[in-house]
Short mmCIF file of all heavy atoms in Angstrom, two decimals:
data_model
loop_
_atom_site.label_atom_id
_atom_site.label_comp_id
_atom_site.label_asym_id
_atom_site.label_seq_id
_atom_site.Cartn_x
_atom_site.Cartn_y
_atom_site.Cartn_z
N SER A 98 0.19 11.33 5.78
CA SER A 98 0.53 10.43 4.68
C SER A 98 1.73 9.58 5.06
O SER A 98 2.52 9.96 5.92
CB SER A 98 0.84 11.28 3.46
OG SER A 98 1.65 10.59 2.56
N SER A 99 1.88 8.45 4.39
CA SER A 99 3.07 7.63 4.65
C SER A 99 4.30 8.23 3.96
O SER A 99 5.42 7.82 4.22
CB SER A 99 2.86 6.19 4.19
OG SER A 99 2.55 6.17 2.83
N VAL A 163 -5.26 8.31 7.06
CA VAL A 163 -6.58 8.34 6.45
C VAL A 163 -7.44 7.15 6.88
O VAL A 163 -8.66 7.30 7.08
CB VAL A 163 -6.47 8.43 4.90
CG1 VAL A 163 -5.75 7.24 4.29
CG2 VAL A 163 -7.83 8.60 4.25
N PHE A 221 -2.92 -3.59 3.19
CA PHE A 221 -1.74 -3.93 2.41
C PHE A 221 -1.33 -5.38 2.71
O PHE A 221 -1.51 -5.87 3.83
CB PHE A 221 -0.58 -2.98 2.74
CG PHE A 221 -0.79 -1.60 2.18
CD1 PHE A 221 -1.21 -0.56 3.01
CD2 PHE A 221 -0.60 -1.34 0.83
CE1 PHE A 221 -1.42 0.71 2.48
CE2 PHE A 221 -0.81 -0.08 0.31
CZ PHE A 221 -1.22 0.95 1.13
N VAL A 302 -3.76 -4.88 -1.03
CA VAL A 302 -2.98 -4.21 -2.08
C VAL A 302 -1.75 -5.08 -2.35
O VAL A 302 -1.00 -5.43 -1.43
CB VAL A 302 -2.56 -2.79 -1.65
CG1 VAL A 302 -1.52 -2.23 -2.61
CG2 VAL A 302 -3.77 -1.87 -1.60
N THR A 304 0.04 -4.44 -5.41
CA THR A 304 0.76 -3.77 -6.49
C THR A 304 1.82 -2.84 -5.88
O THR A 304 1.84 -2.61 -4.68
CB THR A 304 -0.22 -3.00 -7.39
OG1 THR A 304 -1.19 -2.33 -6.55
CG2 THR A 304 -0.95 -3.92 -8.32
N GLY A 305 2.66 -2.30 -6.76
CA GLY A 305 3.75 -1.45 -6.28
C GLY A 305 4.70 -2.27 -5.43
O GLY A 305 4.98 -3.43 -5.73
N MET A 328 -8.37 -1.82 -4.80
CA MET A 328 -8.44 -0.35 -4.86
C MET A 328 -7.10 0.34 -4.74
O MET A 328 -6.12 -0.21 -4.24
CB MET A 328 -9.41 0.19 -3.83
CG MET A 328 -9.03 -0.05 -2.40
SD MET A 328 -10.32 0.58 -1.31
CE MET A 328 -9.80 2.27 -1.16
N TYR A 329 -7.11 1.55 -5.21
CA TYR A 329 -5.92 2.39 -5.22
C TYR A 329 -6.33 3.71 -4.59
O TYR A 329 -7.27 4.37 -5.05
CB TYR A 329 -5.46 2.54 -6.68
CG TYR A 329 -4.41 3.60 -6.95
CD1 TYR A 329 -3.35 3.81 -6.08
CD2 TYR A 329 -4.47 4.36 -8.11
CE1 TYR A 329 -2.39 4.75 -6.36
CE2 TYR A 329 -3.51 5.31 -8.40
CZ TYR A 329 -2.47 5.51 -7.51
OH TYR A 329 -1.53 6.46 -7.78
N ALA A 330 -5.65 4.06 -3.50
CA ALA A 330 -6.10 5.23 -2.75
C ALA A 330 -4.90 5.92 -2.11
O ALA A 330 -3.84 5.34 -1.98
CB ALA A 330 -7.05 4.78 -1.65
N SER A 331 -5.09 7.15 -1.73
CA SER A 331 -4.01 7.85 -1.03
C SER A 331 -4.64 8.84 -0.04
O SER A 331 -5.85 9.07 -0.05
CB SER A 331 -3.13 8.60 -2.02
OG SER A 331 -3.82 9.72 -2.51
N SER A 332 -3.79 9.40 0.79
CA SER A 332 -4.29 10.38 1.76
C SER A 332 -4.82 11.62 1.04
O SER A 332 -5.73 12.29 1.53
CB SER A 332 -3.17 10.83 2.69
OG SER A 332 -2.54 9.73 3.25
N GLU A 333 -4.22 11.95 -0.09
CA GLU A 333 -4.64 13.14 -0.83
C GLU A 333 -6.07 12.98 -1.32
O GLU A 333 -6.89 13.87 -1.22
CB GLU A 333 -3.72 13.37 -2.04
CG GLU A 333 -2.30 13.77 -1.68
CD GLU A 333 -1.38 12.59 -1.40
OE1 GLU A 333 -1.89 11.45 -1.28
OE2 GLU A 333 -0.17 12.81 -1.29
N TYR A 351 -5.99 -0.08 -12.41
CA TYR A 351 -7.02 0.67 -11.69
C TYR A 351 -7.69 1.68 -12.63
O TYR A 351 -7.00 2.43 -13.32
CB TYR A 351 -6.40 1.42 -10.51
CG TYR A 351 -5.71 0.50 -9.54
CD1 TYR A 351 -4.33 0.35 -9.56
CD2 TYR A 351 -6.45 -0.26 -8.64
CE1 TYR A 351 -3.69 -0.52 -8.69
CE2 TYR A 351 -5.81 -1.13 -7.76
CZ TYR A 351 -4.44 -1.26 -7.79
OH TYR A 351 -3.82 -2.12 -6.92
N ILE A 409 1.22 13.84 -6.37
CA ILE A 409 1.20 12.83 -5.30
C ILE A 409 2.54 12.10 -5.25
O ILE A 409 3.01 11.71 -4.19
CB ILE A 409 0.07 11.79 -5.57
CG1 ILE A 409 -1.31 12.42 -5.42
CG2 ILE A 409 0.20 10.59 -4.66
CD1 ILE A 409 -2.46 11.45 -5.61
N ASP A 411 3.12 9.43 -7.56
CA ASP A 411 2.95 8.09 -8.13
C ASP A 411 3.13 8.11 -9.65
O ASP A 411 2.63 9.02 -10.32
CB ASP A 411 1.56 7.54 -7.80
CG ASP A 411 1.42 7.17 -6.34
OD1 ASP A 411 2.44 7.13 -5.63
OD2 ASP A 411 0.28 6.93 -5.90
N PHE A 427 -0.09 0.54 -11.71
CA PHE A 427 0.74 1.30 -10.77
C PHE A 427 2.20 0.90 -11.00
O PHE A 427 2.53 -0.27 -10.93
CB PHE A 427 0.33 0.98 -9.33
CG PHE A 427 1.10 1.77 -8.32
CD1 PHE A 427 0.64 2.99 -7.86
CD2 PHE A 427 2.31 1.30 -7.83
CE1 PHE A 427 1.37 3.73 -6.94
CE2 PHE A 427 3.05 2.03 -6.91
CZ PHE A 427 2.57 3.25 -6.47
N ARG A 430 6.32 4.71 -6.85
CA ARG A 430 6.28 6.05 -6.31
C ARG A 430 7.55 6.76 -6.78
O ARG A 430 8.62 6.14 -6.80
CB ARG A 430 6.28 5.96 -4.77
CG ARG A 430 5.46 7.01 -4.14
CD ARG A 430 5.42 6.81 -2.65
NE ARG A 430 5.14 8.08 -2.05
CZ ARG A 430 3.93 8.47 -1.67
NH1 ARG A 430 2.91 7.67 -1.80
NH2 ARG A 430 3.75 9.64 -1.14
N GLN A 560 -0.87 1.46 7.13
CA GLN A 560 -0.26 2.07 5.96
C GLN A 560 1.23 1.77 5.88
O GLN A 560 1.91 2.27 5.01
CB GLN A 560 -0.51 3.59 5.98
CG GLN A 560 -1.97 3.92 5.70
CD GLN A 560 -2.31 5.32 6.12
OE1 GLN A 560 -2.78 5.54 7.23
NE2 GLN A 560 -2.07 6.28 5.26
N LYS A 562 4.60 0.47 5.02
CA LYS A 562 5.23 -0.23 3.91
C LYS A 562 6.71 -0.28 4.26
O LYS A 562 7.28 0.73 4.67
CB LYS A 562 5.04 0.55 2.61
CG LYS A 562 3.58 0.76 2.26
CD LYS A 562 3.39 1.89 1.25
CE LYS A 562 1.97 2.37 1.19
NZ LYS A 562 1.67 3.51 2.06
P1 LIG B 601 -0.68 7.22 2.00
O1 LIG B 601 -0.36 8.61 1.58
O2 LIG B 601 0.06 6.80 3.19
O3 LIG B 601 -2.13 7.03 2.09
O4 LIG B 601 -0.16 6.27 0.84
C1 LIG B 601 -0.68 6.40 -0.44
C2 LIG B 601 0.28 5.80 -1.39
O5 LIG B 601 0.32 4.37 -1.22
C3 LIG B 601 -0.12 6.01 -2.82
O6 LIG B 601 0.22 7.29 -3.29
C4 LIG B 601 0.66 4.90 -3.48
O7 LIG B 601 2.02 5.27 -3.63
C5 LIG B 601 0.54 3.77 -2.46
N1 LIG B 601 -0.63 2.94 -2.81
C6 LIG B 601 -1.89 3.06 -2.40
N2 LIG B 601 -2.69 2.15 -2.97
C7 LIG B 601 -1.89 1.44 -3.79
C8 LIG B 601 -2.10 0.36 -4.68
N3 LIG B 601 -3.29 -0.21 -4.83
N4 LIG B 601 -1.04 -0.11 -5.36
C9 LIG B 601 0.19 0.43 -5.20
N5 LIG B 601 0.45 1.44 -4.38
C10 LIG B 601 -0.57 1.94 -3.69
#
Side-chain angles (χ1 to χ4, degrees):
S98 157
S99 58
V163 61
F221 288 102
V302 168
T304 42
M328 64 183 273
Y329 168 40
S331 73
S332 308
E333 292 85 349
Y351 302 100
I409 292 183
D411 288 348
F427 183 91
R430 216 176 156 97
Q560 289 163 266
K562 301 161 196 94

